[in-house]
Amino acid sequence: MIGEIVDWFTSSANWQGADGVPTRVLQHLGYVLLALVLASVIAVPIGLYVGHTGRGGVLLVGSGNVIRALPTLGLVTFLFLLFTDSDVAAIIGLVVLAIPPILAGTYAGLQAVDRAVVDAAEGMGMRGGQRLWQIEVPIALPLVLGGVRNAVLQLVATAAVAAYVGLGGLGRYLLDGLAILDYGEVAAGAILTALLAIVLDIVLATIQRALVPRGVRLAEAGTKKEVEA
């Protein structure tokens, strides 16, 4: 198996053309980023509203758990049969998959904000919108971005189902390799998917460190030390 994997990666034919690694990686990345943007547009505002107002928290958690229970492959297949369009089916399926972790991270982030801090801001005369964007969101940012990172990892792993309904991406190596019993190609597809997930997580971790205020990072580190102690 190791020899087959090495042969696959060292073959120049697998790095060129429409079926080459660069093309497949870009396709896979395109599905992930599009689904992430659409899911964020839906989930972040809802999470901010519910976390800020406290209204609908039970419904949000319950609906999130229901969505998590949906089988992605079955959902994509059903949507493909419904719309007869592989692009639409795959993207909707991935968006549905990405919404719960982003929604949960956003809601949990705002709920974790110390209410004494919010009350103090209110006592200073800050309105609801000002408290949300100037106090609550910066403090909640680590959990919000943590939800986004979680969604990205799930999307990278699950975007392979797009190949099941005829799309490209790294999932093609898995399905095409299985079809011809080329296990080197199957393993290569799995390795590339894992590497893409690792690279994206490192990039997002760097972005998270740059966006989260230093004071929030220090407070978070202090809390972790207290818990460990």
Side-chain angles (χ1 to χ4, degrees):
M1 174 65 73
I2 294 177
E4 292 180 5
I5 296 173
V6 171
D7 290 341
W8 194 92
F9 275 108
T10 54
S11 174
S12 60
N14 294 324
W15 294 85
Q16 302 172 2
D19 295 328
V21 171
T23 301
R24 293 303 187 196
V25 169
L26 288 176
Q27 290 173 341
H28 204 94
L29 193 59
Y31 301 145
V32 170
L33 293 180
L34 178 57
L36 180 66
V37 170
L38 294 176
S40 298
V41 168
I42 297 170
V44 171
I46 296 175
L48 290 177
Y49 174 79
V50 176
H52 177 67
T53 63
R55 301 171 184 169
V58 175
L59 178 61
L60 182 145
V61 173
S63 59
N65 291 334
V66 170
I67 294 174
R68 288 176 188 272
L70 293 174
T72 306
L73 181 57
L75 178 62
V76 170
T77 304
F78 170 75
L79 292 171
F80 176 69
L81 295 174
L82 183 64
F83 294 105
T84 64
D85 187 311
S86 52
D87 289 289
V88 173
I91 295 302
I92 292 178
L94 292 174
V95 168
V96 170
L97 172 72
I99 285 177
I102 299 175
L103 196 60
T106 305
Y107 172 70
L110 265 69
Q111 285 293 297
V113 176
D114 190 342
R115 303 321 298 175
V117 176
V118 178
D119 292 341
E122 185 177 4
M124 294 172 60
M126 297 181 70
R127 294 188 295 273
Q130 290 176 315
R131 295 197 304 272
L132 173 63
W133 294 108
Q134 297 180 29
I135 303 296
E136 295 177 79
V137 170
I139 296 175
L141 206 52
L143 286 177
V144 174
L145 294 178
V148 172
R149 289 174 62 182
N150 189 11
V152 168
L153 294 178
Q154 293 186 40
L155 285 172
V156 171
T158 314
V161 302
Y164 185 76
V165 291
L167 295 190
L170 297 175
R172 288 259 47 106
Y173 296 136
L174 302 176
L175 291 182
D176 294 345
L178 285 174
I180 60 175
L181 301 181
D182 185 347
Y183 297 112
E185 182 176 357
V186 174
I191 291 171
L192 288 169
T193 302
L195 288 176
L196 181 60
I198 293 171
V199 170
L200 288 178
D201 192 53
I202 293 174
V203 171
L204 290 174
T206 304
I207 294 174
Q208 179 174 341
R209 183 173 180 80
L211 292 179
V212 175
R214 185 170 182 271
V216 175
R217 294 203 308 270
L218 293 175
E220 188 179 31
T223 303
K224 288 181 179 179
K225 288 181 179 179
E226 291 178 1
V227 172
E228 291 174 357

